[in-house]
Structure formats: structure tokens, C-alpha cells
Amino acid sequence: ANDDYAGFEAAVNAVNASSAAIGGLAYESDRLLARAGILVAGWFRALDDPALPAQAEAIIRMLGEATLPAPTRARAGLVALAFHEARMSLEDMLWVELAMRPVLADPAIGARLGDEFYHLLVQGFYQSGASQRAEMLRANRVASGTAPVAAITLKMHLLDAQLAIGEGRVEPGRDALARAAPLLDLQAPHQARWWHLLRSRLDLLEGRQRDALTHARLALRLALESQLPERWMGVTVMQEGQVLLVDGRSADAVPFFERAGYAAQGAQADFCWCLAHFARALAEFESGRVEAAREQLVLGFALARRLQWLNFLRACPRVAASVCALALEHAVEVVFVHEVIAARGLEAVRPDLSSWPWPIRIITLSRFGIEVNGSELIFKGKVARKPLELLQFIIASSGSDVSTATATFVLWRDLDGDKAKGALNAALHRLRKLLGRDDSVLLELGRL
């Protein structure tokens, strides 16, 4: 149930040492649990081990053995589901769910064990992109009128917070963390760790770096308290590194990403090293070592492109935008960087970077032209003159903080009062439609 991991690595080592003796076990129920242990130990070593899917399939076949105790089958089924959830294989998760239906219907299954399976299935659906199926499963549970046990209710709140914060939805994330807080318990430090980690991410999104650092350090402390294996602590370790990046302390952030990279294996390690390269690149640029910084950018973006990782540094988009800006300035993975910027809607950190994929680009030297999403607007026939004149006036008046009273007087001096104001509003509306975005020209407190 992963409330804590006390004794976990010792158990993994014991299973690894005795896995060849599985055939000598006298009872079928022991053989089933042994397979489950071998599967857990195997994916702890290497999730992409080609022998593991066959081990999971053997467990699933044994779930139908009605002569075996239902709780034993439920525990083994939970392991098989967790394996496929870690691999984000929706097809296999659905296969396990189908095999587990008669097992979970057995009255010998305790509430905690059944609820653990329910939570893991919901989490797996979300993470594999089947959010509608996850919502349906949750709705059916609510309709049944049976609430999960408190430990699972906590996990569901944390899952909601994780999804909301990951998508940048601050209010739902804050609400989910508030619902989870009363259920935290030091007897389950692993879940408390996850709460503080998510709170740190939320604080980063809301610009509270000091609070974010406090919660990141608490999350790491609780990870140690729960005896979480070092190779699974990457996300927790790297959180403090991300907070330091936001705080402008790039060189101090590097060791956190390196620690996670050394501990992890396979693709998980690649994610860590990708961030380590980005942190080093920022540190090198800050020190004026441009060539060394560019080398780190090349290494980092090569990993990000291979992993198709568009959401690196998700909790600190301004840092991600800075990394992308440097990559464009130094011609590193330009096509992929444009894809990252477009997918995440990153805002430019500098106004002078011509290679940034600006959604709107206006040419004012030697001629007047407008490009929207990389394509120049071609004006055919009669074009509304006043919207373009309004745009030109705003640009000529510095481009920001332009008085609407002044714009109205210059462009509609032949109109009085409300008519002039109405003409300005109409031109502004048509200009925004022309540029394709309502936020292309802002009107705040009488200033354009």
C-alpha cells in the first residue's frame, strides 16, 4: 500500500536471490505471491526488462484460480496493475481490470485492498490519457454510495491536486490540497511527502519561491523518513533544484538534477540529465562561458527531443522560456524548440529576440506589414482603415501605456463624446479580430 518503504530494498534483494526456487514452492498461493514479488523486484531494477511482461501475464492467468484465497489473488492482481500503470499501457490495465472483477467481488476482500485497486486504476487511466474512463469509474463509485477508506480518499485528493497543478489550474489544485491536508499522518510519510511536493509546485506557480523551497525540503525529509529508495526519489530531489532555478541560482540547482540522474535508470535517468544539462547551460551563460553553455543546450535538447518531452520544467514556465530563448538565439534544435513554445504557449522573456515564434509580428521599417502565426496578412479589396491606423498610432506612441483619450482625439477628432468613444471601441474590436487574438491589444484603465 506504499504508506512507507521500510525494508523494501532488503526484500527486493531477497527475492532476487531466491527467484530461481519458485518451482519448489509447495503451495500454488505461495507461487502466485512469489511471482508478484519477482515482478516488483524486476521493475525496480529495470522497468523495460523484456522478461517482465511474461511474469505479469502469468499472474493474470492465475487470478482465475478460484481455489486460491481471494485476498492473495487481489494482492497479486494489484502488483500486475501497478506494473502496467508504471508502463502506462492502457490495454494491459484494462486486461487486468477484467480479470480482477470476480476477485474483487469476493466478500473476503477487505475494503483497503479493494480501494487500493480502485485508486491505482483511476490513476493509471489518467496517466495513460484515458481521462474519460477515469471520470466514469469515479462517478460510478460515487453513485454506489460507498466512500473509499480514509487512506484512499487522501490519495484521490492528492491525485486531483497533481492533475490540476500539472495543467496550471491553480484554484482546483489548491482546493484538492486543502481537502487532503487534514488526512495527512506521519505514520504514512510517503503520502505526506507527496503533499509537500505538490504544495511546492503550487507555490512556484504562484510566485512564492521561499514557501516553495520550504515545502521542497520537507518533501525530501519525508521521503527519507518513509525510506523511499533513492532511485525513486528523483522527482522529490529535483523539486528543490527547480525552485533554485526560479530563484536564479542555476549553479546551485545542478547537483540536485545530477543526484537524481545518478540514482535513476533508463528513460527516467534521461529526464533527470536533461534538466541537469539545462541548469548547467543557464549557469554557464550567467558566467559568460557561451560555448560551454551552448554545448549543454545541445545535450539537453537532444534528450528532450528523443524523449518527446515538451513539458520540461512544467512548474517554472519562465525558466523553460529562458532555456528556449537561449536555444533559439544559438540555433539549437530550432524546430523542436518552436514545437515546445507552441504546445505550451510560453511567453517570450525578451522582446528583442527575432527568432522567437511570435504569434504576431509587425514590420515597421521600410514598409508596414503584419504576420500572424508566421503568415503575412494580405489585404485585398477595401480594408478597414481605422483599425490599422489605431495599430500604427499605438506603435508610434511607444507601443504601451497609450492614452485612449489621446488616440481618440488624434484619430476621431471630427467626432464628439460618446461617438468618438464608440468609434474607438469598434476599431479596437476589429483590430483584435484582424490580429486573431483578443489579448493582442489590451485596454486597461484608459490605457492601450
Side-chain angles (χ1 to χ4, degrees):
N2 70 8
D3 286 336
D4 68 67
Y5 283 83
F8 177 79
E9 292 195 73
V12 166
N13 293 333
V15 168
N16 288 337
S18 61
S19 59
I22 185 172
L25 295 173
Y27 298 103
E28 189 75 3
S29 59
D30 289 344
R31 288 196 287 275
L32 177 57
L33 285 181
R35 287 192 184 280
I38 291 168
L39 182 57
V40 174
W43 99 62
F44 180 72
R45 289 194 311 271
L47 184 61
D48 55 357
D49 183 341
L52 296 181
Q55 198 69 256
E57 183 61 32
I59 291 172
I60 294 168
R61 285 197 302 271
M62 294 177 74
L63 295 179
E65 295 291 338
T67 56
L68 300 178
T72 301
R73 287 183 285 151
R75 293 185 185 100
L78 185 59
V79 169
L81 179 64
F83 169 67
H84 291 307
E85 186 265 344
R87 296 168 67 240
M88 290 189 288
S89 172
L90 178 60
E91 178 183 346
D92 289 315
M93 283 189 285
L94 291 171
W95 188 251
V96 178
E97 188 269 338
L98 194 61
M100 280 288 289
R101 287 184 182 182
V103 180
L104 294 172
D106 193 301
I109 300 296
R112 178 67 187 269
L113 196 53
D115 286 351
E116 284 287 353
F117 191 88
Y118 159 73
H119 164 262
L120 192 57
L121 196 59
V122 170
Q123 178 175 285
F125 285 160
Y126 278 126
Q127 293 184 347
S128 60
S131 56
Q132 285 187 327
R133 190 176 290 274
E135 295 294 343
M136 186 184 306
L137 185 59
R138 297 181 72 172
N140 291 341
R141 181 60 185 259
V142 171
S144 72
T146 306
V149 298
I152 305 305
T153 299
L154 170 60
K155 288 188 178 185
M156 296 303 294
H157 291 329
L158 293 174
L159 177 60
D160 288 338
Q162 176 188 348
L163 294 169
I165 294 169
E167 295 169 359
R169 295 184 291 117
V170 170
E171 287 298 330
R174 188 188 298 115
D175 291 345
L177 287 179
R179 291 194 299 272
L183 301 173
L184 297 176
D185 186 346
L186 262 182
Q187 298 305 309
H190 182 55
Q191 305 309 324
R193 169 203 72 102
W194 195 232
W195 188 93
H196 283 285
L197 179 67
L198 293 172
R199 177 59 194 269
S200 179
R201 290 179 178 176
L202 181 66
D203 287 335
L204 268 189
L205 286 175
E206 296 190 298
R208 296 189 298 271
Q209 282 97 305
R210 185 173 178 178
D211 291 343
L213 189 58
T214 297
H215 287 290
R217 288 173 174 170
L218 273 170
L220 186 54
R221 183 174 173 179
L222 286 160
L224 296 172
E225 182 74 18
S226 70
Q227 299 184 43
L228 184 67
E230 176 75 12
R231 72 173 62 181
W232 285 350
M233 285 176 59
V235 173
T236 307
V237 170
M238 290 193 295
Q239 180 61 21
E240 185 167 346
Q242 295 196 56
V243 177
L244 293 172
L245 283 180
V246 172
D247 208 31
R249 298 158 60 185
S250 305
D252 294 338
V254 172
F256 291 92
F257 301 119
E258 289 180 337
R259 173 182 168 183
Y262 284 125
Q265 289 187 341
Q268 193 59 48
D270 289 340
F271 288 106
C272 306
W273 287 116
C274 177
L275 296 187
H277 289 310
F278 289 154
R280 287 179 192 149
L282 292 171
E284 297 287 10
F285 273 116
E286 289 163 7
S287 301
R289 294 186 287 270
V290 177
E291 279 305 312
R294 189 182 186 281
E295 289 175 9
Q296 293 299 322
L297 283 176
V298 169
L299 293 170
F301 274 106
L303 279 173
R305 177 174 51 78
R306 180 165 61 78
L307 296 166
Q308 275 301 295
W309 192 21
L310 303 179
N311 285 318
F312 57 83
L313 298 168
R314 184 200 291 267
C316 31
R318 189 165 180 81
V319 178
S322 296
V323 171
C324 288
L326 290 171
L328 292 177
E329 189 173 15
H330 295 275
V332 174
E333 297 283 359
V334 171
V335 174
F336 178 73
V337 172
H338 280 188
E339 186 180 353
V340 170
I341 294 168
R344 297 173 60 176
L346 294 178
E347 295 184 5
V349 292
R350 289 167 37 197
D352 63 330
L353 191 61
S354 61
S355 54
W356 188 269
W358 301 98
I360 302 168
R361 188 186 299 266
I362 300 167
I363 299 98
T364 58
L365 293 177
S366 77
R367 68 185 182 89
F368 182 77
I370 302 173
E371 294 178 3
V372 176
N373 296 323
S375 299
E376 185 158 3
L377 293 182
I378 305 299
F379 303 111
K380 296 181 179 180
K382 185 178 179 180
V383 179
R385 186 167 52 87
K386 283 299 183 183
L388 294 180
E389 287 183 358
L390 176 60
L391 176 60
Q392 291 167 339
F393 180 79
I394 294 171
I395 294 169
S397 303
S398 81
S400 64
D401 203 32
V402 179
S403 167
T404 55
T406 304
T408 303
F409 175 76
V410 171
L411 298 175
W412 290 280
R413 64 179 64 200
D414 55 332
L415 299 179
D416 296 323
D418 290 342
K419 288 185 178 180
K421 183 178 179 181
L424 171 67
N425 289 337
L428 181 58
H429 175 73
R430 292 162 73 187
L431 176 57
R432 288 169 173 162
K433 299 291 278 186
L434 184 70
L435 299 177
R437 292 173 62 128
D438 288 340
D439 63 350
S440 57
V441 184
L442 302 179
L443 173 57
E444 296 177 349
L445 302 176
R447 318 295 288 186
L448 289 162

